Every structure is written in C-alpha cells, then in structure tokens.
Amino acid sequence: MAVPDSVAASRPTTTSPKTPAATTNRRRPDAAYWLYLLPGALLFLLVIGGPLVYTGYLSLTRWSGVGEPSFIGLENYRTLLTDDVFWTSFRNTVAMIVAMVVVPTLVGLVLAAVLFDTIGRRFRPRTAAALRAAFYLPQVLPVVVAGIVWGWILRPDGALNGLLDAIGLGALSHDWLGDPGTALPVVMAVMIWVQIGYPVVVFMAALERVNPELYEAAEIDGAGWWRRFRAITLAQIRPETFVVGLTCTIAAMKVFGPIYALTRGGPENATNVPSYFAYFTFFKRLNVGYGSAISMVLTLIIVVVAVLFIRAQNRAERRDGAL
Amino acid sequence: MRRFRRVAVVAMVAALTATGLAACGDGDDSGDANVLKLWHYESANSAMGIAWDRAIEIFKEEHEGVEVRFERKAFEQIQQNAGMIINSSEGPDIMEYNKGNATSGLLSSQGLLTDLTEEATKRGWDTALSPSLQTTARYDNGVMGSGNWYGVPNYGEYVMVYYNKELFAEHGVRVPTTLAEFTSAMDTFVAKGVTPLGMAGAEYPAGQLFYQLALSRADRSFVNDYQLYANPVDFKADPVRYGAETFAEWVGKGYLAKDSASLKAEDMGTAFISGKTPMIVSGSWWYGRFKSEITFDWDSFLFPGNTLHAGSSGNLWVVPETSKAKNLAYDFIDITLRPEIQALIGNNGGVPVSGDPATISDAKDRRLIENFNAISSQDGLAFYPDWPVPGYYDVLVSGFQSLINQSKTPDQVLDAIAKPYQDGVAEIKRD
Amino acid sequence: MAVTLATPPRVTRRPADRHRRGVGRWIVLALVGAAALVMLVPFAFMLLNAFKSPGDYSTNGPLSWPTEFYTTGLRTYWEQVDFPVKLWNSMVISGSVAVLAVLVSLLSAYALGIGRVRGRLWIIGLFLLANMLPQEALIYPLYHFAKEVGLYNTRLAVIIIFTVIQAAFGTYLLASVLGTFPRTLLEAAALDGAGRWRILWRVVLPNIRPTISVLLVFFFIWTWNEFLIPLVMLIDNQTQTVPVALASLQGDRLMDAPTTNAGSLLSLLPAILFFLVFQRTLARGITAGADK
C-alpha cells in the first residue's frame, strides 16, 4: 500500500522568515511546530552545549583536575598528532565498527525477519518473544558484569580452553585476552554478543508497523521467503535500519565500558580505543587538558561520520518518497 | 495560544515530577560538630575493616552525642573523583585516601587537605610512626618524603614470597635465603614440570616482581632518585636494566607461565589458594585471605637476598580542608593508633604500624609483623614501581605483558617505560 | 477516538503454507534456538558462581558445581550496600529518565518528522551530539555546573543529564519513523478540525506505540546500566545507584567472586523484570499476525 504522497509536496513552498514567529499561521505550517522543539532545545543547551564549549576550552589548557587550569594554546593537539597510542586506538575503532555495526545489523536484520516472519507466524508468537528475549538479554547485563563473566570464560584456565580440551582440541587452547594477536578479535566477538539484541528488538518493533496484508498478499502471489525479505521487510524498515546503523556506529566509536571491563586497553594497547584512552588520560594520568583534546578530536570525527550518514539517509528518503 | 499553553504545562509538569523526585532523600548536612562523616574503602572483613569498626565504637563511647556517619566507598570512585569530592561541600570530614604523589600529594599541593603537622607533634604521631613510614605522610609541594603532614597511616604493607609448604616438601625444595638459591629452587620445580611462580600480567604483580629484582641490585639512593626525583634515573643501566633483563630471563626459563599475560591478580591469588602454584611474589594484603581460605600448609619468606623491598605505609587518613568536624577527625585518627586497635589489625592478618609484635597470638601473624618491622627499621621500604608518575601503573602493565608474551626485547621495554617516566617527572618538576 | 492505520478486516482465507507440514521451519527454529542458547551461556556462569562459597571458588575455580548452596554472598551484598535504597534510587532515576526522555523525544520528533521544520536535518544532527559526545568528556564541565547550581550529589542532576542523552537518540529514531508517516491520515484528521496538539496525541501516538514501548525499555535499561556519570555525580550512599554499589564490592586489590556474582545477579534482575513486563507490549504486533 503506497501512500500517494511525497516529501516534496508536503514542503511549504512559501519562504519562511529567518526568525520563526511563534504564531500559528495557516500559510506557514512549520512555524508553530517550533514550540515543540523548545523543551528539548533548552535541556540540550544546558547539558550538552555548555559542557562542550567548556571541554573545548579545557583542551587548550594544562590541568590536573584540581586547582586552576593554565592556558597553553594548541600544545595538546600538537602532542596528539605524534602520539602513537592515539593512532593505534583509532585503528582499533575500525574493528569496533565491524563488531558493533556491520555484523549485528546484518545478522539482526535476518534474525528479526526470521523471528517475525517465519517463527512468529508459523509457530506460537510466544516462541518468537522468548527467543527475542534471549538475544536481548546481554543488553540488559551491566557492562562491568559482562566483563567479569567473559574474563572467566576466556582465561587461560577458563571455560573456553576447558571446552577445547574436552573435545580433543587442546592444541587450540590459548591465552585469548593475553596475546596481542588474538585479544582484539576476541573482544570483537564479545561485542557482537553484546550488541546483537539491540537491532533485533528495533527491527521487530519496526516490522509491526508493516501491514501484515503485504506479506499475505505476497505469499499468495507465490513470493518465497527471500523475495518477501528483500521486497517488503528491507524496504519497510529502512528508517530503523538507518537509525540502528548510525547509533551503533556512534556507540562503536565511543565504546568504553566493555574495554574498561575486559582488557583496559591491553595487552600492549592492542585493544585500546579513543574513549578509554581519554578516560585513562583524565583519571589515571590526571591530564585533563590532554584528555579534553582527545575527546574533542573524537567528537569531531564522530560528527563528520554522523553528518555523512544523515545525508545518505536523507537522500534515500527522498528517493523513496514517503512509504 | 491555547496550544502553546498546553506545551508549556507539559514541560512544567515534567520538570516538577523530576524535582519532586529529587527533593526526597537528598538531605544536606548542616554540619555542626556533632556529626562525623567518615568514609573508607576497606572491606568489612579485612584486618583494617575490623579494626576501624572497633575504632568507631570507641570513638562513640568517648564522644557522647556525636553521630558517626560511616560510609563504605567504592575504591574506584574515590580513586577517580577524590579531587571533585573534596572540592565540594558534599564530602566527608575524614576519609581514607591513597598515599603517594599522584593522590594525597596532588590534593595537598592544591590546598584541599588539612595540614596535620601541629596535631602530629601535639599528639605524638611523629614519634609513634617510624621515619620510613612518615615518608608517605608528609608532602612538600606534592612530593612525598618531607614537608608538612597531610595524612596519617595506621597500617603497613610490603611484598614478600608466599610459598606452599606441601609442594616444597613434595619436590624436596628448601626455603631459599639468597637469589641464587631462589633460582635453583625454581629450576627444581621446572625440571619436574611445575611452573614455580604464579604471575598476573594484566595487573600489578608483574611490575612488582620486576621492581623486586631491580631492588636486589639497588641502594637507598636509587629509591630516592626513582621515587623522589633526587637525580635522573637511567633506565638503560642497572638496577632498572637488571630488573627487566632478569624478568625476561625468568620468563624464558619457564619460572613463570607464558600464558599469564592476561591474568589478573585475583586469578594469581586463587591459583595459589587452590594449591596449584608453589610460590607467588606479592603483598601482605593477601595474608588475611590466605589465612581464612587456604587448606594446606603455607608460609611466607622475604624476597631472598634483598635489603630493599617493595612496600610502604598503608593508605592515609586525610582530613579535607572543607571538613566541618576537624577536631573530631583528629580524635578518630588518634584512636586508630592506640595499641588496642593496632593489635586488632595484627591479629586479623594486617600489619600494624606501632605496638609490640609480642602481643600477637599467632606465630605466623607474628612473623609477618616482625618481618615488616625489620624492613622498616632498616629503612628498607622502597615503595612501589608505579608511584613516581600518574598513570605509570598501566605503562608498567603494558611493558611487562610484552615481556611475558616475549613480543619485545627487554631493551625495547626499557625504552617504552622510560619515556612516560621522564615525561611525567618533567611535568611534576614544571609545576 | 484513536485513528489507526487502516488495517483491512482479517482475511478468513488462511495462507496455504500453514497447512504445509514443512520441515524447513523446524530447522530454522532449531538453528535460531541454538543461537539463543549460546547467547545465554555467560548467564549460566553467573548463576553457577553466585551461590558458591569463596573457598570453593578459590579451590575449584569458576566452572565447578557448587559443593553447597551458599547464600551468604547474596546476603552480604544485600546488607553491605543497603540494596533497597540503591534499588529505589536506580528505579527513580531510570524510570524518570525513561518517561521524560520519551516525552521530550516525542515533542521534538513531532516538530521534526511531521512538522518538517526548516533545517530539521541540522537540528537532528545537533541533538544527536548529545549521543556522540564521549561521556568522559562531559564529566568535568557537568561536575562544575552541577556544583554551581547546587545539584552535585543529587539524583535530579543525573536524571536531567540522561534525559538529554537518551532523548537525543529518541528524537532521531522517532523523527525518522514519523518522516514516513502517512500524510493522508494527518490530512484527514486536520479536515476533521483537529489541531496539532490533538493530532499528536490522537493520531500520531497510537500509530507509533510499538516504537515508543521499545524506547521506554531501552531508556530504562540503558540508564539502569550507566556507570561513569553516576559514579562521579552521586557520591553519597543515600543517592547511589545499583551499578555504583556493585563497584564498591571491588576493593583496591581484592574481590570476592561469589559476592560479586550475587550482586551482579541482583542488579540484573530488576532490569530483566522490566524487560519481560514490556515484552507484552512489544509482542502485540507478533500476535496480530498469528492465528488463534
């Protein structure tokens, strides 16, 4: 069921003045909507805008967190450019994006579709709900706890090696988190485990917006599962796919908790990420100025990525018109 | 306009719900001096926890009508936010805080801690504590060792070798008294296919073993250079070089497990408790737990041949400048140094800083304390390897993980740990 | 009267494959079920170690069956951290944030997605900043602001901060969803004389209820598990949350594994309960397609 409507048609053709007046003018439907933005905007300025400017200022100072900051200009940024750890941490971010965005989104799409379309409709809906709960459970687990539990499993004398021994693959047992070669892939696997439930839940909620008639009609027309998945599921839940993609990317770029709990950036910085590096600089090296500089650079990079993402989303929306 | 009013009402209601929720329970204290807010982060069943509970009781008996508001804190929280907490009106009147330049030293240099010098002389704390214990109590512009008193320790700690007597007997190994005997004892275990030394590369044990090895070739002047910045330290020369190279050699000989790089101290401890490891080189903080959990026969000896040992006073009692009950805080500190409380620390597996070991009933406990007193009286406490500069702990962890994994040579590791040290010291000297 | 998406009356003709005794669907179920079980393994470990005595744990490691049913860890944790107080604080903070953030998101998204105000992309991007900023970068400024206005060490400070952070996500999600909202419905309602305010509550809200429930669940659980900002902002035992209390078990150098596990279990339960309660809301759509 396509709604005969397009974004372009709903755009006001009259040019609104630069300052939105708070009057309800039938001619300019968007003016009154500004009021609805007020609570969000005020809170935002207070909690995000102000602190961001403040952090920007701190990044130009030397400060240990107590006493008075002393202004040093761009020195922190200069140091940053030649800081190996900083660059290593950014390389690891790419791995985090694979583990927290690419894999969970793709797997999540298929899982959500299978749970919704196959299991939800061919078995009792309870079954689908229970399975979804199982996938979502790691999201509920406090990150610190997840770190402890996985730490046990991956220890040299832990469950994973015990299991390998038991099935006669003792030769494969390994110091998973201690070897710089395997630490990052293992952390990535844990991150997939943590992340997977989030896209599943979002996509399943999205599928509920979809008119079941569409599937029924397609089935009667003899479309197989894969055709239905591509033509209906993917097309219908595109907004959520973008949302999940972007929010996971942001989360991956500023991932902190799991790294803190699992490896503290070790061994030998093999799993260090910018956010943990910043935290470490703030609270362990007591170098608030430098930590602020790291955070500012990280924020800037995230903003650029997000802008590109939102642009792509917008283009896609325009192409589709509104579904 | 009606529409606008509706939006405004919703926003108001939202704000009110939130404030209403916040209003209950966040009472603020108008602290007149009949309340003592006391924070520490020792677990309830540790020697310090037990002794300080008793100290609080005594305090209450002696201060009728004073309410003690005790809160047990998360170590991580105090570590991370001490500056913020003490800088606000919400902090405690007295609290436990870490000793060292990056912690108590830093806060004292910013004027956030009360100067206790006058109280220390008036109440005799300066005579109760040996000079080597006073090192961590006094700070001059944030650097420990001299200057005014900003904190008072009431227990001690040091690094030793714990050993499993049954495994020693089984493999015919005697307690070593020199470094050479120590290595030959370990050779015996290796020959039998047993890894002699428990290790944890992800936390402090690796760095402490390296430091013990370096100290075997060092004297007090090295400690003054390394810890108090008296002179620059050459990392490419002994004793530091010896420490790193010997550590690498021990890994190569199989004295410690090559897959211990990711282990935490807890793992090393539980492996010793379960009787899998003949020896671990670690601190007196394990002692009480070993005593209550180990089922086989075990004991400890000092790191063989060393006159200097990693160790120091315990954490400090500090009084924030914002404290509203300073006199009560001084009284409490005084109580913790009394023989009764010190004996409680000693009888529960801790190391008291004053008092007579003869009053301790258990022979093993007595040895723990006598060993500490011996080190302390010879001025043999060398503090810890990660103390000199903030954030150095993680630098050392990362460096020695490389040695355990054999992914870097000792030379490369020395370079990796030298630079942060030198940068950090330059930073401290600049202030 | 709520206007919902026009769902035609339920077709009485059943899809053919409901009668097909397909083996395929069982294979799919088995595969997905196996994956779900793998997801649950770490939780089994937690249960296994929560009721094991410390000595048993030290001797036999984390993988053995407990030799006795040891509940002291649970009790110690409950008493030591004054769990009911922490639970209440966490509930208050997470609950308020979930409701307030959904409200703020809905209002903003209405303006952005339905109202399509000018420059909405930039506004969404700006709001999203709240989600993009690494939290540790906000800590020092937020501490100073909170201290200035006397909110340091109050739950309100944490509620306000997380309302903004979560609402950033909510605004973005809802604006994206509402961007594809059928205009015909809005126009029909407008022709009936409904104002914007009424359209929001009577037309828009009922149609995005599943997404709103998901947001409520997410916000509650995300806020529940937050650690860094509560650790900095809430320094009193009277104001602290469950995860911060959990951290207080991990001392300087020692950590009693069973107590930690018991504490983890306790801190996990409320969030799980919350999720399970909301499963019903989430599951409504699934049931719609099912044959009763």
Side-chain angles (χ1 to χ4, degrees), chain B residues 23 27 39 117 122 154 188 214 326 333 340 364 379 384-386 396 411:
Chain B
W39 292 4
T117 313
K122 198 169 79 189
N154 61 20
T188 312
K326 288 186 183 178
I333 293 174
E340 181 191 348
K364 209 185 283 181
D379 195 19
Y384 295 98
D386 56 303
L396 291 175
D411 210 48

Side-chain angles (χ1 to χ4, degrees), chain A residues 106-141:
Chain A
L106 295 178
V107 176
L109 272 172
V110 173
L111 265 179
V114 166
L115 285 175
F116 186 83
D117 189 20
T118 311
I119 294 175
R121 290 168 69 240
R122 306 260 195 297
F123 293 93
R124 296 191 13 235
R126 273 267 169 87
T127 318
L131 287 168
R132 178 182 53 190
F135 285 109
Y136 188 67
L137 208 50
Q139 285 270 300
V140 179
L141 191 67

